[in-house]
């Protein structure tokens, strides 16, 4: 990486604050890569901060989800003006456009890695309609627009969805995976097979993308009313984020 010739310090706030939408996950790795191991961790607050490469400014990455009490990123961005960019899925951006307008400035993922997963020893689902025709409870985090789509399209039943999922594997393990639980293809399948001591075996899953619900997942968005002010910074910093995405997926080991 090389800092832009004009210098980010002249046009960007420091720290530049990025609010994510969940606790740290593999697909977030490109952002953490921009700090590398030079940062400082506040584990209680879910904040990792440090120099953004050699640009002369700092980057502060704030974890979301449970660290925000599960409040959507858009709401937090409008109550805390120290946040400059946030992960806001394109469907959420549309849903809140009238009251909390945001503008996407970069899409790090082309396909949404959101999944529903289950124990293949219990179920052999091949479609979302198969899940809807089963007795499986569908666990998800309240507020996911994709779940409204899956129910209203008739793929799932309203009486089988349960919005109590909090990111913990406890219920999935306790019920031997006899549920359809939300997750990310980039995270849970590997984590459950390799890291969840009470599980340590494969799970099966389907991408929500395959249901026809195609959105941009976790694009970097800014408040619409802050776009003009941030534009000189974004023009220089976004190429660094884009390069970090390429480098992270080429070699994810550092993060």
């Amino acid at each position: 990486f090389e800092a832009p010739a004009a210098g980010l310090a002249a046009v960007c706030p420091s720290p530049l604050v990025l609010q994510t939408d969940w606790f740290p996950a593999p697909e977030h790795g490109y952002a953490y890569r921009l700090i590398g191991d030079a940062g400082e961790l506040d584990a209680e607050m879910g904040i990792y901060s440090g120099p953004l490469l050699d640009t002369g400014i700092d980057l502060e990455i704030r974890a979301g989800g449970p660290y925000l009490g599960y409040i959507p990123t858009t709401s937090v961005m409008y109550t805390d003006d120290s946040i400059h960019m946030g992960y806001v899925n394109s469907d959420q951006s549309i849903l809140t456009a009238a009251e909390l307008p945001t503008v996407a400035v970069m899409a790090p993922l082309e396909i949404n890695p959101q999944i529903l997963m289950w124990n293949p020893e219990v179920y052999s689902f091949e479609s979302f309609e198969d899940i809807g025709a089963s007795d499986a409870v569908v666990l998800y985090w309240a507020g996911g627009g994709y779940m409204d789509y899956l129910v209203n399209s008739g793929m799932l039943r309203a009486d089988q969805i349960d919005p109590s999922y909090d990111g913990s594997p406890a219920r999935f393990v306790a019920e031997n995976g006899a549920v359809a639980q939300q997750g990310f293809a980039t995270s849970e399948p590997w984590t459950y097979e390799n890291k969840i001591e009470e599980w340590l075996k494969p799970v099966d899953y389907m991408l929500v993308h395959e249901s026809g619900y195609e959105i941009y997942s976790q694009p970097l968005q800014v408040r619409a009313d802050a776009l003009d002010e941030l534009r000189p910074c974004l023009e220089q910093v976004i190429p660094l984020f884009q390069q970090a995405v390429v480098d992270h997926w080429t070699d994810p080991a550092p993060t």
Side-chain angles (χ1 to χ4, degrees):
F1 287 113
E2 293 183 2
L8 265 68
V11 292
C12 288
S14 185
L16 182 67
V17 177
L18 169 61
Q19 176 65 63
T20 76
D21 60 351
W22 200 242
F23 43 71
E27 69 279 358
H28 302 176
Y30 72 91
Y32 290 93
R33 189 187 186 100
L34 289 167
I35 299 173
D37 58 7
E40 295 184 0
L41 173 66
D42 183 335
E44 182 176 354
M45 298 300 294
I47 296 174
Y48 190 63
S49 57
L52 197 168
L53 304 175
D54 59 352
T55 60
I57 70 168
D58 288 341
L59 175 64
E60 179 175 298
I61 306 170
R62 301 180 184 178
Y67 288 96
L68 296 176
Y70 302 100
I71 298 172
T73 306
T74 43
S75 298
V76 177
M77 290 171 67
Y78 268 89
T79 57
D80 183 351
D81 61 10
S82 70
I83 298 170
H84 303 109
M85 296 185 290
Y87 288 173
V88 181
N89 288 355
S90 58
D91 58 346
Q92 182 67 25
S93 180
I94 292 168
L95 285 169
T96 59
E99 296 181 355
L100 305 171
T102 56
V103 179
V105 295
M106 189 187 96
L109 298 168
E110 184 172 355
I111 294 177
N112 178 14
Q114 185 82 62
I115 61 173
L116 292 183
M117 69 183 214
W118 58 88
N119 182 355
E121 298 173 357
V122 177
Y123 295 118
S124 56
F125 299 135
E126 295 184 358
S127 68
F128 288 93
E129 288 85 353
D130 287 347
I131 299 176
S134 75
D135 60 356
V137 172
V138 180
L139 292 176
Y140 73 105
W141 175 36
Y146 72 93
M147 193 59 66
D148 292 334
Y149 166 79
L150 291 174
V151 171
N152 291 325
S153 66
M155 297 185 197
L156 299 181
R157 304 189 318 275
D159 64 0
Q160 72 182 145
I161 64 172
D162 181 342
S164 64
Y165 180 64
D166 62 359
S168 166
R171 184 169 175 182
F172 191 91
V173 171
E175 299 193 23
N176 191 33
V179 296
Q181 177 180 284
Q182 79 163 56
F184 261 40
T186 49
S187 184
E188 276 81 358
W190 186 92
T191 301
Y192 274 63
E193 184 170 354
N194 296 278
K195 290 293 186 180
I196 305 299
E197 292 294 335
E198 300 83 1
W199 193 258
L200 298 180
K201 57 185 178 180
V203 299
D204 202 356
Y205 65 88
M206 286 186 295
L207 287 166
V208 171
H209 180 87
E210 296 170 342
S211 74
Y213 192 72
E214 300 178 3
I215 65 167
Y216 283 113
S217 176
Q218 301 168 321
L220 297 185
Q221 303 230 26
V222 302
R223 296 193 321 274
D225 62 359
L227 178 60
D228 287 342
E229 180 182 353
L230 288 172
R231 191 182 301 275
C233 173
L234 296 170
E235 288 175 348
Q236 296 196 43
V237 80
I238 289 301
L240 300 183
F241 276 79
Q242 291 171 323
Q243 185 62 52
V245 171
V246 174
D247 292 341
H248 173 59
W249 291 113
T250 300
D251 177 21
T255 45

